[in-house]
Amino acid sequence: MSFSKVATISLALFIHSVLNSAELTIENIFTSDDFKVKTLSGLQWLPDRNAFSYIEKNKAGERELWLWDADNNQKQKLLGKDDLAILEGAKTEKRFTLPTYKWLPNGKQILVPSQNDLFVIDIESKKAERLTNDDKKERDATVSPDCKKIAYIKNDNLVVLDIATKTETQLTTEGSKNILV
């Protein structure tokens, strides 16, 4: 997503929070939580919808997944603390801040890397399904357009996972710490 889109969305959320907050006074600006900057992470447009999702911390510091519908300017919580408990094992890496997530092309589920494994969380049922379960880390996962397979890097090689059978097929074998194949 381009910087201008992120800046526009951030500005829209800020204006929304100001318009829906307490009276604007010098005292309120510096003492009230109404005007504190909220940070958003994981900002992503949903497939085939004029909406985006993001992870936001609530007042207790717990992560929640939210949806902002751009057509009617409405905010909706998709997943709360209990639904995202699977992410508690996630760590920060040099390249990314985890947890990251990706919408599956069907727009009904998200793919989440956590605890060195991959999970799919169904937004409607709030159920998480573990797709991989080993001590090797899966990175840079991408879902096929038909939502049947996931490609990712594992042991520095390209691997494809059949979601239905949870069968992994390693496509390359020459990968090493210095060469990604």
Side-chain angles (χ1 to χ4, degrees), residues 63 89-99 137:
R63 289 175 286 193
K91 297 179 181 169
T92 301
E93 289 188 346
K94 292 179 184 174
R95 295 183 314 142
F96 304 105
T97 299
L98 294 178
K137 184 174 185 178

Side-chain angles (χ1 to χ4, degrees), residues 2-175:
S2 71
F3 175 77
S4 61
K5 283 185 182 178
V6 172
T8 302
I9 292 166
S10 298
L11 180 60
L13 289 172
F14 174 75
I15 291 169
H16 174 74
S17 67
V18 168
L19 293 176
N20 293 317
S21 61
E23 181 182 353
L24 183 62
T25 66
I26 298 295
E27 183 178 332
N28 283 347
I29 290 172
F30 293 104
T31 61
S32 171
D33 286 342
D34 293 332
F35 300 103
K36 285 188 179 175
V37 175
K38 292 183 181 180
T39 59
L40 306 177
S41 64
L43 189 65
Q44 293 187 31
W45 284 101
L46 272 70
D48 300 325
R49 281 189 65 187
N50 197 18
F52 61 89
S53 62
Y54 56 93
I55 295 174
E56 180 178 32
K57 288 187 177 181
N58 63 20
K59 289 185 180 186
E62 302 160 340
R63 289 175 286 193
E64 300 173 331
L65 182 67
W66 287 86
L67 175 117
W68 182 272
D69 188 318
D71 288 332
N72 59 21
N73 291 329
Q74 291 193 349
K75 180 178 174 180
Q76 172 190 358
K77 183 165 66 169
L78 298 177
L79 299 171
K81 175 193 172 212
D82 295 335
D83 307 315
L84 294 174
I86 198 168
L87 303 179
E88 294 310 313
K91 297 179 181 169
T92 301
E93 289 188 346
K94 292 179 184 174
R95 295 183 314 142
F96 304 105
T97 299
L98 294 178
T100 56
Y101 67 97
K102 291 184 180 182
W103 282 96
L104 272 65
N106 64 16
K108 298 176 182 177
Q109 300 165 306
I110 57 173
L111 176 67
V112 181
S114 183
Q115 306 164 24
N116 281 348
D117 288 315
L118 296 174
F119 295 81
V120 169
I121 301 176
D122 184 274
I123 297 298
E124 188 175 315
S125 69
K126 301 182 184 335
K127 301 282 187 212
E129 178 184 5
R130 177 176 246 144
L131 300 178
T132 60
N133 192 8
D134 58 27
D135 61 343
K136 304 295 182 194
K137 184 174 185 178
E138 297 84 15
R139 303 180 317 189
D140 304 329
T142 302
V143 182
S144 66
D146 63 4
C147 297
K148 293 182 179 181
K149 297 185 186 218
I150 300 173
Y152 47 87
I153 304 293
K154 185 176 197 172
N155 294 327
D156 300 312
N157 284 294
L158 183 60
V159 176
V160 173
L161 174 79
D162 182 296
I163 295 175
T165 64
K166 296 190 178 61
T167 303
E168 285 184 330
T169 304
Q170 186 171 323
L171 301 180
T172 61
T173 58
E174 293 90 25

